[in-house]
Amino acid sequence: MNLPNRKSPRLHGYDYNQDGAYFITICTDRRRQLFSDITGAPPNDVSVNLTAYGDIAKKYIQLLPQKYDIILHAYVIMPNYIHLLFLMTHQITGNRTPLETRSYLDKMIGYLKMNISKEIHQINSHEKVWQRSYHDSIIRSEKKYLHIWNYIQNNPMVWQYDCFYSEQNGSTPAL
């Protein structure tokens, strides 16, 4: 059986084991609104109301700095995606074995997605939570960092203009 070659979304030649600032977006499967509801009127009366699945996501996001060498600077749990902004503070040095093909960043995102999915599957074993992979941006300047930090903070206020916005509530769990 011939499977198509998939293009890696990671920056070719970049070492994702090195220290640095990263902006990560992880989307739900088919962009279904599983994690939160955005309510209120922009700009001042907007709130993010986490669903039961969103509470699970929040728990594992907040555990990341204890499990991995990162400083979590900002995050937001939107209805159908999660944004993370963090500083990786652990540089892996030395030669890795051929079996160690995954980067520190890949392992961390894998841990996050796996544990959130595992706990959600205890509630609904048929729930497909994530789309494949994740989007990353390597932050290389203070100006870019501040822009992304502001973007994350203001993301709920501009939800209705977001390219992933949908009035349809998907399959948000009502628990």
Side-chain angles (χ1 to χ4, degrees):
M1 173 184 214
N2 262 345
L3 296 175
N5 286 336
R6 294 184 188 249
K7 182 181 174 192
S8 172
R10 306 289 78 81
L11 180 62
H12 181 71
Y14 185 80
D15 181 3
Y16 285 91
N17 291 313
Q18 66 182 315
D19 292 353
Y22 295 88
F23 173 50
I24 304 295
T25 302
I26 311 169
C27 295
T28 61
D29 178 56
R30 294 176 298 168
R31 304 275 183 355
R32 290 176 304 126
Q33 297 182 26
L34 299 176
F35 295 129
S36 67
D37 294 308
I38 308 296
T39 60
N44 299 324
D45 187 32
V46 174
S47 60
V48 178
N49 303 304
L50 297 181
T51 65
Y53 292 178
D55 286 333
I56 293 167
K58 180 179 178 180
K59 176 174 86 172
Y60 287 101
I61 289 168
Q62 291 178 338
L63 286 172
L64 284 175
Q66 297 168 29
K67 176 109 174 113
Y68 292 90
D69 293 326
I70 68 163
I71 299 169
L72 185 61
H73 288 181
Y75 69 91
V76 66
I77 302 171
M78 296 297 287
N80 54 12
Y81 60 89
I82 295 169
H83 285 316
L84 304 167
L85 175 62
F86 59 90
L87 179 64
M88 191 180 312
T89 60
H90 174 74
Q91 191 167 18
I92 297 174
T93 58
N95 295 328
R96 294 184 298 166
T97 68
L99 295 176
E100 295 176 306
T101 58
R102 292 179 63 206
S103 70
Y104 193 73
L105 181 62
D106 278 343
K107 289 176 186 176
M108 185 184 78
I109 300 303
Y111 163 85
L112 184 65
K113 289 172 76 172
M114 178 192 71
N115 283 286
I116 293 169
S117 295
K118 188 176 179 181
E119 193 162 328
I120 287 173
H121 289 154
Q122 292 173 356
I123 299 167
N124 179 352
S125 62
H126 302 292
E127 189 77 76
K128 186 164 189 310
V129 181
W130 304 109
Q131 83 174 23
R132 184 180 181 272
S133 197
Y134 58 93
H135 176 77
D136 70 85
S137 291
I138 304 155
I139 303 169
R140 298 179 180 164
S141 72
E142 184 176 352
K143 181 180 177 182
K144 181 75 170 175
Y145 170 87
L146 292 172
H147 173 76
I148 291 170
W149 190 88
N150 283 318
Y151 171 77
I152 288 173
Q153 299 306 311
N154 294 316
N155 203 227
M157 289 172 272
V158 295
W159 167 237
Q160 65 191 26
Y161 306 110
D162 194 292
C163 64
F164 300 129
Y165 172 79
S166 168
E167 287 187 24
Q168 186 176 17
N169 205 359
S171 60
T172 301
L175 300 173

